Amino acid sequence: MSTECRLSLEDIFPESRKLIPDNIWGQLSSVNSQDIDPVVFTSRLKSHNDLDKMYPYIADLASVELAVHNASVFSNPASMDEKKFALNPTLKIVPVSWMNLPSIIIPKENNQSEPVKKDGFVVVYKQSGRADIIVEDATDEMLLALKIVVEGLDLRDVAKAAETTVWPLYCALRNSTARGALVEQQSKIRRSLSYPRGKNIDQGFFSSDVFTLQWHITQSCDLHCRHCYDRSDRANVSFDSAVKILDQLYDFCTAKNVTGQVSFSGGNPFLHPDFKKIYSEASFRGFALAVLGNPVSSEALEDIVSIEKPVFYQVSLEGLAEYNNYVRGEGHFDRTLVFLDLLKEFDIYSMVMLTLSRANMDQVIPLARTLQGRADLFTFNRLSIVGEAHNMLLPDKEEYRKFLQDFLQESEVNDVLTCKDNLINILLRDKCKELFGGCAGHGCSAAFNFLSLLPDGEVHACRKFPSKIGDINTYNLLQIYDSEIAEKYRMGPTECAECEIRPVCGGCLAVANSFGLDIFRQKDPMCFMKDNSSN
């Protein structure tokens, strides 16, 4: 800093100057009529006996003020590493023997607290994108978060040592990030820049902060549905293998700077003999947990809630009682309604999924009215004509468009209905309404923010049809995700490449596969994007 623009000590230490008598200030602040270096000034304060008697906290106060000054003039941030959390480059941690000093420097509503003798730390930093300087006594939570980042600690090791789970540690990191002491790196799960960027497409649809592993831990099931897409004989994942997979997922999420979610499914995941243990291991690693399954007993629910309440529990209904029971078995409809009430008792968010075909399309809206007030969310996926569904039919394009129009209209008055199918965005676009995220928040999310893992280790881009992209017994999750075949699924059909709503659409690969199309080239056969002129 040049002499011309150099700040005076009074500017750097304004609160200290208010306290220090003029004669002492003159002694401490100059040598041969020249201001001394601010660092030297603070060291002189520490050894001045008279000041120590008057204001024993004065040296600490000056050290904090110097940190505030340094943060205010900080202009050359150091390069940050690639990890999810990094220190705010302006952050200064000042060890002090007195607390409440921040209230002297930045008083809040004229409520200045007296300094209290207590060893601790004051953190000083400039919030990203703002001129404000934050000065605060460091809490134990913040110090823990900073220690984790500075020392590059693995949250799993810290959790084990503290006999807790990863989640509260992760929350500590997120809380310190929200305050600005830490900086959270961008997710590396991002759409290719070659994607079209329509004028109504929120840029948030191009990246995902959450990655979901839909994990089919068993093929065992207490139902035998007429449209089941996979009744193949696959051995349960073993507990030891499950733990290794969870560590792989943890490492994957760390490498991609995302939060992980595990959606347990099957079959019925509760029929896996080690489900509770696997669920507990997933909880320990801080993943958000969900269940895609069948109705279970209150005791079974209590078992998992005692570990961690799932963020949602999804069950399936295929229409009104008679048709649903035809597909899923006698009594299933009533059992599911009772189970939805049970989920409400446990305060678990309930989701109902319907597999839509020509046979049950006209039952969706009546079922939605039945579920209103009973479920938290009801939506549908179109049928994938694989496995035992080979004799079932999908509606034709025009039938489906009319259905979607009715569905969208009903959703405006029935809050249980939720849009999921990507093609609904065509209608929203036509109506100049805000587009939504499509199937899994980013249009077709096959191999993007979602992968499906089968009990024997096969990894699929989408569970609704055969879309194997690797085997976790041969390659790790990161290698499989970054593979060339996974990228092909992420890009989707080339016929959709120039579509302005592609980031929130891409149709349904499983439906295209049902019609025997080349899913990497030909678009969803039920897409009606080019038929809009008739509306």
Side-chain angles (χ1 to χ4, degrees):
M1 183 181 296
S2 68
T3 303
E4 290 75 21
C5 65
R6 181 176 178 179
L7 293 175
S8 68
L9 292 179
E10 286 87 349
D11 293 322
I12 298 173
F13 304 101
E15 300 305 323
S16 297
R17 180 65 185 91
K18 291 176 184 177
L19 299 176
I20 299 174
D22 291 344
N23 63 320
I24 297 178
W25 180 269
Q27 298 170 11
L28 294 172
S29 63
S30 63
V31 176
N32 298 326
S33 300
Q34 296 294 321
D35 284 346
I36 64 173
D37 183 271
V39 176
V40 175
F41 177 76
T42 58
S43 66
R44 286 186 172 189
L45 288 177
K46 296 177 182 178
S47 58
H48 199 286
N49 292 332
D50 291 341
L51 273 180
D52 187 57
K53 293 176 183 177
M54 289 186 288
Y55 304 107
Y57 55 85
I58 193 71
D60 281 353
L61 177 63
S63 295
V64 175
E65 287 189 287
L66 180 57
V68 171
H69 165 71
N70 290 336
S72 68
V73 299
F74 187 93
S75 61
N76 186 27
S79 60
M80 293 184 292
D81 60 28
E82 296 277 318
K83 294 181 180 178
K84 183 170 178 61
F85 296 99
L87 289 182
N88 180 324
T90 68
L91 179 77
K92 302 293 180 183
I93 304 175
V94 184
V96 294
S97 298
W98 293 82
M99 308 302 287
N100 293 339
L101 300 178
S103 71
I104 298 176
I105 297 172
I106 305 179
K108 296 181 179 179
E109 298 180 358
N110 299 319
N111 183 22
Q112 182 172 310
S113 301
E114 288 296 317
V116 175
K117 179 69 175 175
K118 183 181 179 183
D119 290 341
F121 298 88
V122 173
V123 290
V124 179
Y125 53 93
K126 183 189 294 185
Q127 288 186 313
S128 178
R130 299 177 59 180
D132 297 344
I133 304 295
I134 303 300
V135 186
E136 57 188 359
D137 290 318
T139 63
D140 289 342
E141 181 188 65
M142 180 176 286
L143 289 173
L144 174 60
L146 297 178
K147 178 181 176 67
I148 288 170
V149 172
V150 170
E151 298 183 13
L153 301 179
D154 189 308
L155 296 187
R156 291 166 292 188
D157 295 336
V158 178
K160 287 178 182 177
E163 297 183 343
T164 183
T165 67
V166 165
W167 183 247
L169 304 177
Y170 185 76
C171 288
L173 292 170
R174 293 301 300 267
N175 291 340
S176 293
T177 300
R179 298 191 70 83
L182 296 178
V183 178
E184 189 170 4
Q185 307 293 350
Q186 284 189 335
S187 165
K188 295 180 183 178
I189 293 182
R190 309 185 68 80
R191 288 293 194 193
S192 168
L193 293 178
S194 64
Y195 261 42
R197 293 171 179 257
K199 61 182 179 181
N200 294 323
I201 304 295
D202 189 302
Q203 295 307 299
F205 293 133
F206 283 84
S207 66
S208 177
D209 294 324
V210 179
F211 176 82
T212 298
L213 183 69
Q214 183 176 314
W215 194 3
H216 299 257
I217 61 174
T218 181
Q219 292 289 85
S220 299
C221 189
D222 45 339
L223 301 177
H224 192 140
C225 302
R226 292 180 181 270
H227 63 267
C228 184
Y229 43 69
D230 186 4
R231 296 292 295 183
S232 60
D233 185 16
R234 302 172 189 262
N236 292 343
V237 62
S238 70
F239 175 72
D240 290 342
S241 293
V243 171
K244 293 177 182 177
I245 288 167
L246 289 168
D247 278 331
Q248 278 197 36
L249 177 61
Y250 184 94
D251 293 339
F252 173 89
C253 292
T254 300
K256 294 295 186 182
N257 291 339
V258 291
T259 300
Q261 176 177 310
V262 180
S263 293
F264 286 102
S265 190
N268 182 352
F270 283 86
L271 296 182
H272 191 293
D274 292 320
F275 175 51
K276 186 176 178 181
K277 290 169 59 180
I278 296 173
Y279 190 92
S280 180
E281 290 289 339
S283 175
F284 167 76
R285 286 159 179 78
F287 299 128
L289 305 180
V291 177
L292 315 177
N294 302 331
V296 295
S297 67
S298 176
E299 292 76 17
L301 267 188
E302 180 63 43
D303 278 346
I304 63 169
V305 170
S306 66
I307 299 168
E308 178 182 330
K309 186 170 73 172
V311 292
F312 66 84
Y313 194 120
Q314 179 179 296
V315 293
S316 295
L317 287 172
E318 307 307 336
L320 299 175
E322 182 179 357
Y323 182 78
N324 177 81
N325 292 345
Y326 165 75
V327 174
R328 289 190 167 264
E330 194 61 36
H332 176 267
F333 187 87
D334 289 340
R335 288 199 309 275
T336 301
L337 293 187
V338 171
F339 183 66
L340 290 173
D341 294 338
L342 183 62
L343 291 175
K344 195 178 293 289
E345 290 178 22
F346 277 85
D347 192 31
I348 297 173
Y349 191 87
S350 60
M351 297 171 59
V352 178
M353 177 64 67
L354 177 141
T355 300
L356 184 123
S357 67
R358 178 175 287 175
N360 65 356
M361 189 169 63
D362 62 345
Q363 299 183 45
V364 172
I365 291 176
L367 178 58
R369 292 170 181 170
T370 300
L371 293 174
Q372 193 170 19
R374 198 157 198 167
D376 292 303
L377 180 153
F378 171 53
T379 191
F380 69 91
N381 273 321
R382 277 178 283 162
L383 174 73
S384 175
I385 306 177
V386 295
E388 300 192 5
H390 62 277
N391 289 323
M392 300 178 73
L393 298 174
L394 282 162
D396 65 34
K397 184 189 299 188
E398 188 53 40
E399 289 175 325
Y400 189 57
R401 176 163 63 169
K402 178 61 170 63
F403 163 77
L404 289 183
Q405 290 171 334
D406 294 341
F407 180 93
L408 201 56
Q409 183 176 350
E410 178 70 16
S411 70
E412 295 176 356
V413 295
N414 188 336
D415 58 8
V416 75
L417 273 181
T418 301
C419 295
K420 181 175 174 66
D421 193 288
N422 294 329
L423 299 188
I424 294 174
N425 273 314
I426 302 175
L427 297 178
L428 294 175
R429 169 188 171 277
D430 294 345
K431 296 176 182 292
C432 297
K433 292 187 175 182
E434 183 179 356
L435 306 183
F436 77 110
C439 183
H442 304 273
C444 177
S445 292
F448 178 58
N449 63 327
F450 168 95
L451 285 177
S452 184
L453 176 61
L454 305 191
D456 59 359
E458 283 190 9
V459 180
H460 288 248
C462 174
R463 186 62 180 108
K464 291 170 58 182
F465 74 109
S467 51
K468 183 178 177 181
I469 59 174
D471 191 310
I472 209 163
N473 299 307
T474 306
Y475 299 100
N476 66 42
L477 202 58
L478 191 59
Q479 291 171 317
I480 293 171
Y481 184 89
D482 288 339
S483 67
E484 183 177 338
I485 182 63
E487 178 62 18
K488 287 186 68 176
Y489 278 98
R490 279 192 286 279
M491 291 304 297
T494 55
E495 288 185 353
C496 294
E498 301 302 319
C499 179
E500 68 176 83
I501 67 169
R502 172 62 184 92
V504 291
C505 190
C508 178
L509 298 181
V511 171
N513 177 77
S514 297
F515 284 82
L517 303 181
D518 178 350
I519 63 169
F520 300 122
R521 184 177 62 85
Q522 296 172 284
K523 66 180 182 180
D524 185 330
M526 297 170 72
C527 171
F528 47 90
M529 187 68 169
K530 293 183 179 179
D531 300 339
N532 295 330
S533 59
S534 62
N535 280 347

